[in-house]
Amino acid sequence: MASLSVPFSDCVIRGSLLPRRRLSPCPAGVASLPAFLQGRLVLFMFDYVLLHVSALKSHGTKFSHNVSNNHIFASVADVSLEQSLDDVHLPKGEMWSVHKFGGTCMGTSRRIQSVADIVTNDSSERKLVVVSAMSKVTDMMYNLVDKAQSRDDTYMSALDDVYEKHMLTAKDLLDGDELVQFLSQLHHDISNLKAMLRAIYIAGHATESFSDFVVGHGELWSAQMLSSVIKKSGKDCTWMDTRDVLIVNPTGSNQVDPDYIESEKRLEKWFEQNSAGTIIATGFIASTPQNIPTTLKRDGSDFSAAIMGALLRAHQVTIWTDVDGVYSADPRKVSEAVILNSLSYQEAWEMSYFGANVLHPRTIIPVMRYNIPIIIRNVFNLAAPGTMICQRAVNDNAEGHNLESFVRAFATIDNVALVNVEGTGMAGVPGTASAIFSAVKDVGANVIMISQASSEHSVCFAVPDNEVKAVADALKSRFSQALAAGRLSQVEVIPNCSILAAVGQKMASTPGVSATLFDALAKANINVRAIAQGCTEYNITVVLKGEDRIRALRAVHSRFYLSKTTIAVGIIGPGLIGGTLLDNFGIRCNARFLWFILFTGVLKEEFNIDLRVMGIAGSRKMVLSNTLDKMEELQNEKAEEANLEKFSQHVHGNQFIPNTVFIDCTADTGIANHYYDWLRKGIHVITPNKKANSGPLDRYLKLRALQRRSYTHYFYEATVGAGLPIISTLRGLLETGDKILQIEGIFSGTLSYIFNNFAGERSFSAVVAEAKQSGFTEPDPRDDLSGTDVARKVIILARESGLKLELSDIPVENLVPEELRSSASAEEFMIQLPDFDEELSKKRIEAEAAGEVLRYVGVVEVSNARGRVELRRYKKSHPFAQLSGSDNIIAFTTMRYKDQPLIVRGPGAGAQVTAGGIFSDLLRLASYLGAPS
Ligand code: ADP
Ligand code: ASP
Ligand code: MG
């Protein structure tokens, strides 16, 4: 008798963590669990023991356990598979190569021919090839049974379809005697099935064995066809009906346990009567010890291959499918998933348990018993080496202890519901868990994971969605008294959930892994409903809202695999829209360059950021798309009436992209009013629009407070000085403990240009006219000369520095002469402006006489909690006096930079540099979201 022990803290029931506190030191936990769960625990422990202690030599059906000292002692009776197999004359060992071809590989006659080629090209001395039914056939067979038992007459024509599919495939592949023989067998089987389905139809019910008998025919036919094709090429080949060999015991939970001893005896017998170098064996089907046909349940052919591999001690089992190997996540859900070269048995097991259907969960145990590697390969891409599943995954030996080496892959189980049983009367009451799970057992539901709050006030577990109603009803009835007495407060059902599992070596015990996982989920604004961590140390499992599952998968995958950070982008505002559409929208282009940046691929190639522009809205029209990544495509999209609600639903509502950012390129207060709502929904906002930050103080404070307490980001670098690093410099100073005394600057490119050129004999109006002509001013230059824009920048910087000021608190020197403020048009204003040149000329001459120049500046006096916008005089040696063109210049006087202010200078207006500011915000956002920076 062999016995093994594993620490209690490692005990798991199908992925669930038994609450450590409850179990320790003398656990009510296991002992108080109902028999069926103890059974499951034992089963799991058995798997667990096998997974962890490959030195275990014996393996049998009799199994006992006991619990003491924090350990479960698992002992197995002395029926040794190894010993038993050694006694018989089954040819076994390294000479055997086992293959399994999934339904995907057997879909058409051409594919079956390719499979035959792969088999014949394997030069192993002996080959056993397990095949699935042709693709979709098992579904068709289950459908026949469903139709017959619901007395739907169309089962007959559905059976004809099955016949025709196989008949046509056989005619394509075979000829002569082989074809005649196969068609006669097919005909015979179909007649039997007809009779059986008729019986089911009359009874209105199919027993499990009837159903198993019917559905297993797909494998019978595919194995015979493949065998005939190989024989046709002159190779020595025979087929095996595994119902004659594989003996299994049903466990009652839609699972079966192989009886290795009996199977091995039957295999021996089979070999006495058959011999061939290549054997094509049916996957999926088996018999009970009473010789009643049964199956290994859905997708069970992988398991069949593993059992055959173990019985034969094959040197490897190759599982052929339609993907290049095991990916780091389901490639249908995460397009950036990568192929894993190797996985440990434990990792593969966890992956398959948590929903990676590339491998049936029970495939691992039989092969790891003999250290037989499994290779997953792609039948359609023979050049790909595939994924090797073996004792030690390659990166297990790697020196790197980075997080990625601990997290290998992710998987999800969809359509689950959480049941939360809660109440103060549960704490410290032994047997509550037992009562809960015995009620669950009575309805035959499958508990996928369990988590119990350490306060013991609640037990929460996940079951398949379609079983939750029965579970909840059973619990309510079982606990009706406790509910009435208030000892239990509720039996809550949270439907439509998904389970996300991260799988990898020792990840649960490695600091930082779960933090990173949860951080990635939080940053994608995904709420975690329940957690089970610990288990075998190979997985962390979280339960989320079903609709979040793909976003969650992609968010965590991109974090750990450093794959591209994908962000859905919604652009609001005219400037970004290409020529043609622009005209349709009737809006002005002021930042085409941003468009250029977004789509040059720079972000993708160099920064690992994958931006998907999902929508562009102007004031009247908008374009929504799922595929926009080229400007030309956008132009082909149809514009529709602008509707911000629909826009945000479209861009943010998609399930596939974990992050959303809206870029507001308008100068509109109405759009800025939406920021709060967007941030609340988890939409990041980037903008050069000054309206939100310079609007009413209380609204601004609310916005910033929301942003601080959430993971959602609001970036507005381009509101001041366009692309110049002004906000970020200010933040950097504050965050590093500096104290801002004053910020003074020339914040308007237009006014910078005007005063830089207002010298010598030129009149003020002439310089303004020149600026207007060169495109440096707004269409109406009064918008620049009024100073309001500068005041908005001053208020933004003032608030950023901690001052609580309103725009109306900033005195502004308006350069538009009072008399011209109400001129009807810009043209009129320009005509009248020369009449008012004198005042400014005077000021300029006075300044020049004192060796000074005039500059229009904004000032934040932090120490006095004041801001102002005015015309000031500066010595010719002052940096502000030496400005040229339309540059901005900003001087930060701080405790650290007191004598010599910190100066930022450069072009501070225009489409290109504004785009630059937005670009840097996008990079910052992506880096906060986890892209490498
Ligand atoms: P077969 O019929 O060959 O048994 P399956 O459909 O059962 O094929 O399994 C292969 C499929 O598993 C792939 O086509 C793939 O879509 C899916 N799959 C899910 N998760 C993963 C993963 N992590 N790696 C690879 N494939 C996966
Ligand atoms: N044909 C069976 C099924 O589709 C078994 C398998 O292919 O693995 O479930
Ligand atoms: Mg499969």
Side-chain angles (χ1 to χ4, degrees):
M1 173 126 111
S3 80
L4 285 162
S5 74
V6 281
F8 234 176
S9 53
D10 285 338
C11 293
V12 247
I13 300 174
R14 316 192 91 223
S16 68
L17 176 67
L18 284 176
R20 292 173 192 211
R21 278 203 209 161
R22 292 291 303 269
L23 291 178
S24 179
C26 179
V30 173
S32 71
L33 286 174
F36 97 101
L37 264 189
Q38 288 190 23
R40 249 192 211 173
L41 175 63
V42 170
L43 191 72
F44 190 95
M45 291 298 301
F46 191 51
D47 284 355
Y48 184 84
V49 166
L50 287 173
L51 281 165
H52 288 269
V53 192
S54 59
L56 179 68
K57 288 289 181 211
S58 54
H59 175 184
T61 47
K62 290 186 195 144
F63 193 91
S64 65
H65 74 287
N66 62 58
V67 178
S68 77
N69 282 344
N70 268 0
H71 278 60
I72 289 184
F73 289 91
S75 37
V76 284
D78 48 359
V79 232
S80 159
L81 172 63
E82 183 145 35
Q83 187 192 350
S84 164
L85 283 179
D86 284 341
D87 292 344
V88 296
H89 300 104
L90 189 66
K92 62 183 187 203
E94 286 285 306
M95 81 278 264
W96 279 103
S97 159
V98 171
H99 295 264
K100 178 259 169 174
F101 292 90
T104 45
C105 315
M106 304 284 292
T108 60
S109 49
R110 258 188 50 204
R111 289 187 182 178
I112 296 176
Q113 186 59 60
S114 317
V115 167
D117 296 342
I118 293 173
V119 174
T120 44
N121 285 336
D122 174 359
S123 57
S124 303
E125 195 181 327
R126 284 172 175 269
K127 292 171 270 191
L128 184 129
V129 179
V130 173
V131 289
S132 289
M134 289 179 74
S135 145
K136 309 257 166 40
V137 165
T138 311
D139 291 339
M140 290 167 94
M141 304 304 281
Y142 273 108
N143 194 27
L144 289 177
V145 178
D146 288 347
K147 283 189 160 174
Q149 65 182 344
S150 56
R151 301 206 168 113
D152 174 349
D153 289 319
T154 60
Y155 78 86
M156 289 290 283
S157 61
L159 184 61
D160 291 343
D161 295 344
V162 170
Y163 172 75
E164 192 160 302
K165 184 176 175 96
H166 290 88
M167 185 263 293
L168 293 175
T169 310
K171 282 190 172 168
D172 266 358
L173 287 168
L174 309 171
D175 43 37
D177 284 353
E178 295 286 354
L179 178 62
V180 172
Q181 215 177 320
F182 177 79
L183 290 180
S184 131
Q185 181 65 45
L186 179 66
H187 199 266
H188 177 258
D189 291 342
I190 293 284
S191 308
N192 278 347
L193 286 175
K194 219 172 254 174
M196 181 152 253
L197 289 166
R198 177 78 191 144
I200 294 174
Y201 180 92
I202 292 168
H205 173 70
T207 61
E208 196 176 337
S209 41
F210 268 39
S211 170
D212 280 353
F213 174 78
V214 174
V215 299
H217 275 75
E219 271 72 9
L220 290 169
W221 297 322
S222 61
Q224 290 172 73
M225 282 194 288
L226 179 62
S227 161
S228 299
V229 174
I230 295 175
K231 258 198 279 186
K232 198 176 122 186
S233 67
K235 299 283 185 295
D236 169 30
C237 181
T238 189
W239 79 283
M240 171 194 280
D241 178 347
T242 40
R243 292 176 302 184
D244 298 337
V245 172
L246 251 185
I247 302 303
V248 296
N249 289 294
T251 64
S253 50
N254 201 30
Q255 281 197 357
V256 293
D257 284 342
D259 181 339
Y260 287 96
I261 307 306
E262 185 57 29
S263 302
E264 162 256 311
K265 278 190 198 145
R266 300 217 184 181
L267 191 59
E268 163 81 359
K269 208 160 141 206
W270 190 91
F271 271 97
E272 280 168 12
Q273 289 155 10
N274 299 277
S275 72
T278 303
I279 297 159
I280 311 297
T282 53
F284 185 48
I285 53 177
S287 292
T288 66
Q290 297 74 34
N291 298 318
I292 297 173
T294 185
T295 69
L296 303 189
K297 311 306 166 194
R298 287 314 306 256
D299 298 316
S301 296
D302 298 340
F303 191 22
S304 308
I307 299 169
M308 297 312 282
L311 289 173
L312 295 169
R313 307 289 197 284
H315 74 268
Q316 77 177 32
V317 174
T318 309
I319 295 196
W320 295 88
T321 182
D322 61 346
V323 282
D324 282 353
V326 180
Y327 280 88
S328 50
D330 187 338
R332 292 166 298 189
K333 294 174 181 160
V334 181
S335 51
E336 302 85 5
V338 295
I339 288 284
L340 303 167
N341 295 330
S342 70
L343 275 175
S344 69
Y345 288 125
Q346 290 88 346
E347 288 170 333
W349 185 75
E350 299 274 358
M351 281 287 289
S352 57
Y353 178 73
F354 286 103
N357 52 337
V358 65
L359 199 66
H360 185 277
R362 300 200 65 189
T363 315
I364 299 299
I365 301 297
V367 289
M368 77 165 290
R369 170 80 182 81
Y370 301 103
N371 217 350
I372 301 168
I374 296 183
I375 325 280
I376 311 279
R377 291 195 60 187
N378 190 349
V379 81
F380 306 110
N381 181 14
L382 299 181
T387 300
M388 158 92 82
I389 299 170
C390 53
Q391 196 69 46
R392 246 163 205 284
V394 170
N395 92 332
D396 197 24
N397 302 326
E399 71 305 327
H401 281 280
N402 55 354
L403 294 183
E404 294 113 80
S405 71
F406 291 106
V407 181
R408 307 295 310 285
F410 301 91
T412 54
I413 304 181
D414 299 335
N415 305 322
V416 300
L418 266 188
V419 180
N420 187 27
V421 184
E422 210 175 299
T424 45
M426 286 171 69
V429 181
T432 312
S434 158
I436 291 174
F437 292 110
S438 85
V440 175
K441 184 234 167 183
D442 290 345
V443 293
N446 177 25
V447 179
I448 305 169
M449 66 160 257
I450 307 171
S451 125
Q452 180 181 9
S454 57
S455 67
E456 299 188 1
H457 282 166
S458 73
V459 172
C460 173
F461 58 93
V463 292
D465 245 338
N466 56 6
E467 293 175 0
V468 74
K469 187 174 175 326
V471 168
D473 290 348
L475 287 172
K476 281 178 192 154
S477 131
R478 168 71 182 74
F479 291 105
S480 57
Q481 273 185 8
L483 283 163
R487 273 178 286 122
L488 282 192
S489 56
Q490 62 169 344
V491 174
E492 184 193 9
V493 170
I494 305 159
N496 307 324
C497 294
S498 282
I499 292 180
L500 168 79
V503 172
Q505 302 276 356
K506 306 277 175 207
M507 59 179 292
S509 59
T510 305
V513 180
S514 19
T516 308
L517 180 87
F518 290 111
D519 186 58
L521 290 172
K523 284 180 175 167
N525 205 34
I526 289 164
N527 191 24
V528 172
R529 313 293 309 241
I531 304 166
Q533 189 204 319
C535 303
T536 51
E537 296 202 336
Y538 289 97
N539 94 53
I540 299 174
T541 312
V542 295
V543 181
L544 339 135
K545 254 199 252 164
E547 67 199 51
D548 287 339
R549 69 188 190 280
I550 297 179
R551 285 196 315 117
L553 199 55
R554 295 177 66 114
V556 294
H557 187 274
S558 86
R559 175 62 63 87
F560 283 100
Y561 270 88
L562 298 181
S563 56
K564 293 189 172 46
T565 301
T566 316
I567 308 177
V569 183
I571 300 171
I572 300 150
L576 309 162
I577 297 151
T580 320
L581 268 173
L582 196 73
D583 296 336
N584 293 346
F585 287 18
I587 28 195
R588 210 157 55 89
C589 170
N590 60 15
R592 279 192 199 184
F593 189 69
L594 174 59
W595 181 264
F596 170 73
I597 288 174
L598 287 179
F599 298 100
T600 46
V602 174
L603 286 167
K604 210 167 188 169
E605 295 316 316
E606 293 190 12
F607 297 97
N608 235 6
I609 302 165
D610 185 3
L611 292 184
R612 310 276 175 90
V613 179
M614 308 281 293
I616 300 187
S619 56
R620 285 185 287 114
K621 298 275 182 186
M622 67 178 185
V623 188
L624 303 179
S625 172
N626 286 319
T627 53
L628 288 184
D629 52 20
K630 291 208 182 72
M631 192 163 169
E632 305 84 68
E633 282 169 23
L634 171 74
Q635 294 186 355
N636 294 334
E637 294 288 332
K638 270 181 73 180
E640 53 186 285
E641 285 305 309
N643 173 340
L644 270 189
E645 186 56 33
K646 186 170 174 201
F647 179 85
S648 102
Q649 251 167 31
H650 174 84
V651 181
H652 187 52
N654 82 84
Q655 291 178 359
F656 295 93
I657 305 183
N659 314 291
T660 308
V661 61
F662 282 180
I663 304 176
D664 169 19
C665 293
T666 69
D668 196 310
T669 310
I671 304 291
N673 287 343
H674 287 280
Y675 293 176
Y676 187 84
D677 199 37
W678 290 340
L679 291 172
R680 221 164 34 87
K681 286 182 178 149
I683 301 171
H684 307 286
V685 176
I686 290 178
T687 188
N689 179 357
K690 293 179 271 293
K691 293 295 159 49
N693 283 13
S694 61
L697 179 65
D698 58 341
R699 212 181 55 191
Y700 165 81
L701 292 174
K702 237 175 96 189
L703 196 61
R704 292 300 309 276
L706 172 67
Q707 178 221 343
R708 276 198 198 99
R709 66 173 186 263
S710 71
Y711 274 100
T712 320
H713 298 285
Y714 169 44
F715 293 138
Y716 40 83
E717 181 65 86
T719 51
V720 183
L724 295 179
I726 295 177
I727 306 272
S728 49
T729 302
L730 176 54
R731 283 206 179 157
L733 292 169
L734 290 167
E735 280 162 11
T736 53
D738 203 352
K739 194 167 178 296
I740 312 293
L741 304 173
Q742 176 174 288
I743 305 169
E744 183 181 16
I746 296 172
F747 294 107
S748 156
T750 312
L751 291 163
S752 170
Y753 178 89
I754 290 172
F755 285 97
N756 294 343
N757 290 285
F758 184 34
E761 293 306 302
R762 305 183 69 191
S763 69
F764 184 70
S765 59
V767 181
V768 173
E770 181 188 281
K772 186 172 188 308
Q773 246 162 26
S774 320
F776 283 126
T777 68
E778 291 294 319
D780 187 339
R782 283 175 296 182
D783 290 344
D784 299 304
L785 297 174
S786 69
T788 315
D789 187 63
V790 177
R792 287 192 184 278
K793 291 171 180 166
V794 165
I795 201 80
I796 290 172
L797 293 176
R799 288 175 177 176
E800 201 67 31
S801 313
L803 302 186
K804 294 199 164 57
L805 293 178
E806 291 284 5
L807 192 57
S808 54
D809 296 331
I810 311 290
V812 180
E813 183 172 344
N814 190 335
L815 295 182
V816 182
E818 197 137 3
E819 297 83 340
L820 300 187
R821 288 182 197 164
S822 53
S823 299
S825 67
E827 286 65 37
E828 250 174 66
F829 164 73
M830 291 304 291
I831 293 166
Q832 291 164 342
L833 188 60
D835 301 344
F836 298 85
D837 273 340
E838 203 183 316
E839 192 189 330
L840 276 171
S841 291
K842 210 169 128 222
K843 281 192 182 174
R844 192 202 67 199
I845 290 161
E846 275 171 22
E848 273 176 4
E852 292 175 345
V853 295
L854 293 178
R855 291 293 181 259
Y856 192 76
V857 293
V859 186
V860 182
E861 291 169 13
V862 181
S863 19
N864 302 332
R866 273 202 323 232
R868 58 181 63 247
V869 175
E870 62 191 13
L871 204 53
R872 281 189 175 180
R873 281 165 47 168
Y874 292 90
K875 284 264 168 264
K876 284 199 168 140
S877 57
H878 191 278
F880 284 16
Q882 286 152 27
L883 216 54
S884 60
S886 62
D887 279 5
N888 281 192
I889 187 163
I890 294 92
F892 295 93
T893 309
T894 71
M895 289 302 279
R896 214 180 281 155
Y897 297 97
K898 207 166 180 179
D899 301 331
Q900 279 277 28
L902 172 67
I903 288 190
V904 179
R905 173 187 165 168
Q912 261 167 285
V913 286
T914 305
I918 294 173
F919 184 58
S920 79
D921 277 349
L922 269 171
L923 286 182
R924 187 139 43 111
L925 174 66
S927 116
Y928 282 175
L929 294 176
S933 50

